[in-house]
C-alpha cells in the first residue's frame, strides 16, 4: 500500500515548506501548491487523501478552491482542512457550509497539525459503514431498485460533515440548500419567539432526515437546526435531490411519509402544550425521548434542562422544580446532566 497523500495549498513559502517538512517526517507523501489554481489542478490530477488549504490567497482563495473541488465528483469527498489566521464565527460558518471538515488557526504546532489530519483520515475510513447504514430505513420501502441505487450513489458521493455540540447547521430564513441526514449524534430544530424563548420542534437521531419541508416547498428554512451533541451529518443538495425525486417517485413518496410522521408528532406536541398541565407535559416529553433513545439503555436520557424546557414549552425553572418532584416521588433519578427513568408506567399514567 502506498503512502497517504496530502496536498498543501499555501502561498506563504515558509509556512508551506514547514508544513511539508512535518508531514514528510511523519511518513506522508506531500504535494505542494503555492496558489489556489495550481492546487485545484494538482488535486484533480493526483486525487490526494486529504487537502490542507490557506484561505487568504491571491487570484483564487481557499473558498474558491473548496467550491471548485466540491463540484468535481472525483474530488468532492476529499477531506478538506482550512489553514487560516482568521477564526471568526462567520468565516468558520461559511467554510463549514461549503463543506470544509476542519480549521487550523495559525500559528499551530506539529502536534495540532498531525492530530487534525489523523482525525479526519480515521473518520473518512468509517464513512462506507455510515453510508450503508443510512439507507436501512428506506431500502425496504422502495420498489424501484435503480432509484435506491441512485440514492445510494448520491449519499456515497457526498462529504460527511462533523458538527460540534451547539453548532448551528442552518438558521431560520436561510435559503434551502438541501436535506440533511444524521449519521451519528442528534440534531434539534428550534423556533424562536420574539422575546427570545425557544420551542423545540423536533429531535433527529441516527438515520433520520431533517429539512424536508423546505426542500419540498422550495422555501427558506422555517426554523433553526442545531447539534445537541457532537454529530455527523450528510447534506444532500437541493438540485440533486429534486432530480432524484422527479425521476424516482417511490423515493419521493417515502420522504413524504417521513414528513407526515413528523407532522403528526408536532400535532401531538401542540395538543400537549394547549391542554396538558406542566407535569403532564414534562412526563410526555420524557416518554417521547425514551422512545427516540438509541442507546443500550433507552431509559437513561442525556438531555439538558434547557432542551427539556424548549420541548415542553415552559421555563427552565419550572422544569427543575418538576424534575425535583419526580425525583422525590421515585419516578426518576438524576445523574448530573442525565436522567434515569425509574418508573415509566407512572409517567404514562400521569394525570393532567
Amino acid at each position: 500500500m502506498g503512502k497517504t497523500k496530502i496536498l498543501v495549498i499555501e502561498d506563504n513559502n515558509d509556512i508551506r515548506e514547514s508544513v511539508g517538512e512535518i508531514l514528510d517526517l511523519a511518513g506522508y507523501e506531500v504535494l505542494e501548491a503555492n496558489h489556489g489554481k495550481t492546487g485545484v489542478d494538482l488535486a484533480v490530477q493526483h486525487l490526494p487523501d486529504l487537502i490542507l488549504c490557506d484561505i487568504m490567497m491571491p487570484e483564487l482563495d481557499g473558498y474558491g478552491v473548496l467550491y471548485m473541488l466540491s463540484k468535481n465528483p472525483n474530488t468532492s469527498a476529499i477531506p478538506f482542512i482550512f489553514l487560516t489566521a482568521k477564526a471568526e464565527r462567520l468565516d468558520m460558518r461559511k467554510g463549514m457550509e461549503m463543506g470544509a471538515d476542519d480549521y487550523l488557526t495559525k500559528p499551530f504546532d506539529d502536534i495540532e497539525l498531525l492530530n487534525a489530519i489523523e482525525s479526519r483520515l480515521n473518520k473518512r475510513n468509517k464513512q462506507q459503514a455510515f453510508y450503508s447504514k443510512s439507507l436501512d430505513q428506506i431500502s425496504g420501502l422502495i420498489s424501484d431498485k435503480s432509484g435506491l441505487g441512485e440514492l445510494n450513489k448520491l449519499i456515497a458521493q457526498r462529504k460527511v460533515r462533523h458538527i460540534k455540540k451547539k453548532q448551528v447547521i442552518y438558521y431560520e430564513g436561510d435559503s434551502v440548500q438541501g436535506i440533511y441526514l444524521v449519521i451519528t449524534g442528534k440534531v434539534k430544530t428550534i423556533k424562536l419567539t420574539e422575546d427570545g424563548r425557544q420551542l423545540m420542534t423536533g429531535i433527529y437521531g441516527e438515520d433520520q432526515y431533517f429539512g424536508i419541508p423546505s426542500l419540498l416547498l422550495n422555501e427558506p428554512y422555517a426554523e433553526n437546526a442545531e447539534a445537541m451533541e457532537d454529530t455527523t451529518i450528510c447534506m444532500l443538495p437541493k438540485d440533486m435531490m429534486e432530480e432524484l425525486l422527479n425521476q424516482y417517485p417511490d423515493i419521493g413518496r417515502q420522504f413524504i411519509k417521513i414528513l407526515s410522521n413528523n407532522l403528526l408528532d408536532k400535532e401531538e406536541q401542540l395538543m400537549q402544550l394547549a391542554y396538558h398541565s406542566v407535569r403532564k407535559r414534562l412526563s410526555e416529553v420524557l416518554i417521547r425521548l425514551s422512545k427516540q433513545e438509541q442507546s443500550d439503555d433507552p431509559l437513561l436520557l442525556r438531555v439538558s434542562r434547557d432542551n427539556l424546557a424548549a420541548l415542553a414549552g415552559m421555563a427552565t425553572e419550572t422544569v427543575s422544580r418538576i424534575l425535583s418532584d419526580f425525583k422525590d416521588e421515585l419516578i426518576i433519578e438524576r445523574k448530573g446532566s442525565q436522567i434515569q427513568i425509574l418508573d415509566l408506567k407512572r409517567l404514562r399514567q400521569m394525570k393532567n
Side-chain angles (χ1 to χ4, degrees), residues 63 84-95 103 105:
Y63 297 126
T84 176
K86 301 172 67 177
E88 297 179 2
R89 176 180 170 278
L90 290 178
D91 296 312
M92 295 182 67
R93 184 182 171 213
K94 178 179 178 180
Y103 271 79
T105 304

Side-chain angles (χ1 to χ4, degrees), residues 289-306:
L289 291 175
S290 70
K291 292 178 180 178
Q292 294 178 332
E293 186 64 44
Q294 297 182 341
S295 64
D296 294 334
D297 185 357
L299 300 183
L300 182 62
L301 309 179
R302 297 166 180 83
V303 58
S304 68
R305 291 184 307 158
D306 290 340

Side-chain angles (χ1 to χ4, degrees), residues 4-191:
T4 298
K5 192 182 305 179
I6 297 179
L7 170 61
V8 182
I9 309 173
E10 168 64 68
D11 65 328
N12 184 296
N13 293 333
D14 291 337
I15 295 177
R16 187 180 65 254
E17 292 172 2
S18 175
V19 169
E21 183 178 350
I22 292 171
L23 297 179
D24 184 63
L25 290 173
Y28 294 109
E29 179 181 347
V30 183
L31 302 171
E32 296 184 13
N34 60 2
H35 58 76
K37 289 183 178 179
T38 302
V40 171
D41 292 340
L42 286 175
V44 172
Q45 181 181 353
H46 295 281
L47 299 179
D49 297 288
L50 183 140
I51 297 172
L52 299 168
C53 184
D54 186 28
I55 289 184
M56 305 302 293
M57 295 184 293
E59 297 187 41
L60 185 66
D61 64 11
Y63 297 126
V65 172
L66 179 57
Y67 176 81
M68 294 182 69
L69 295 180
S70 68
K71 295 299 181 183
N72 186 327
N74 294 324
T75 58
S76 62
I78 297 175
F80 195 100
I81 299 177
F82 272 131
L83 307 177
T84 176
K86 301 172 67 177
E88 297 179 2
R89 176 180 170 278
L90 290 178
D91 296 312
M92 295 182 67
R93 184 182 171 213
K94 178 179 178 180
M96 299 305 281
E97 285 181 343
M98 292 180 64
D101 294 283
D102 204 353
Y103 271 79
L104 275 174
T105 304
K106 304 173 187 176
F108 49 82
D109 59 33
D110 52 351
I111 299 300
E112 289 178 288
L113 174 66
L114 295 175
N115 283 343
I117 290 172
E118 291 173 7
S119 174
R120 294 304 148 194
L121 291 175
N122 288 337
K123 288 176 180 177
R124 188 191 189 193
N125 292 336
K126 297 176 182 177
Q127 286 183 9
Q128 287 305 119
F130 289 155
Y131 294 144
S132 60
K133 183 179 178 182
S134 70
L135 293 169
D136 288 348
Q137 67 166 328
I138 61 173
S139 61
L141 298 169
I142 300 176
S143 59
D144 190 333
K145 295 303 180 183
S146 61
L148 176 61
E150 289 300 314
L151 181 60
N152 191 349
K153 189 195 318 184
L154 173 59
I155 294 175
Q157 288 175 347
R158 301 306 301 169
K159 182 182 292 185
V160 166
R161 289 174 53 188
H162 307 283
I163 310 297
K164 296 293 185 182
K165 181 179 179 180
K166 294 187 177 182
Q167 182 177 330
V168 174
I169 300 164
Y170 58 75
Y171 288 96
E172 180 178 353
D174 283 352
S175 299
V176 59
Q177 301 297 314
I179 63 173
Y180 294 83
L181 171 66
V182 180
I183 307 298
T184 62
K186 288 182 181 178
V187 170
K188 64 180 179 181
T189 50
I190 309 162
K191 292 287 288 187

